[in-house]
Amino acid sequence: MSKKNKKSETKPQPKVHKELQGLDITIDQFGEIKANMDIEKLNEFLDKNVDDKKLAERDDYEDMKKGDKPKKGK
């Protein structure tokens, strides 16, 4: 009988933005997302650097990106 050689393969680390260095995200057996970085920090990064395709059609999208609050009309 032959034995299988078990090699500890290290996964190559992907190239990431300098603000996300060391980020490691996994999904456990229950489908929960596990990350070694605070989710709020990750959300702030995505809000700042990624355009939201669903919101791009709105008239006030550019104001929202700048951080301006939309004006409420009567």
Side-chain angles (χ1 to χ4, degrees):
M1 297 190 149
S2 65
K3 293 183 180 179
K4 293 182 181 179
N5 292 334
K6 292 184 179 180
K7 294 181 181 178
S8 60
E9 296 181 22
T10 57
K11 295 181 183 177
Q13 295 295 321
K15 294 179 183 177
V16 296
H17 193 274
K18 65 182 179 179
E19 291 182 37
L20 299 178
Q21 288 288 36
L23 174 65
D24 184 34
I25 296 178
T26 57
I27 300 175
D28 66 10
Q29 63 206 24
F30 303 109
E32 295 177 350
I33 297 174
K34 303 289 183 178
N36 63 345
M37 184 178 289
D38 184 34
I39 297 298
E40 292 300 319
K41 182 178 176 185
L42 184 58
N43 282 336
E44 287 177 19
F45 174 82
L46 292 173
D47 289 341
K48 185 171 45 170
N49 294 299
V50 179
D51 288 333
D52 191 333
K53 293 178 183 178
K54 291 183 180 179
L55 294 178
E57 296 174 3
R58 290 180 55 150
D59 294 334
D60 59 347
Y61 180 62
E62 290 300 320
D63 295 334
M64 290 172 57
K65 281 177 52 175
K66 293 176 187 174
D68 296 340
K69 292 184 179 181
K71 297 177 182 176
K72 295 182 181 179
K74 291 184 181 179

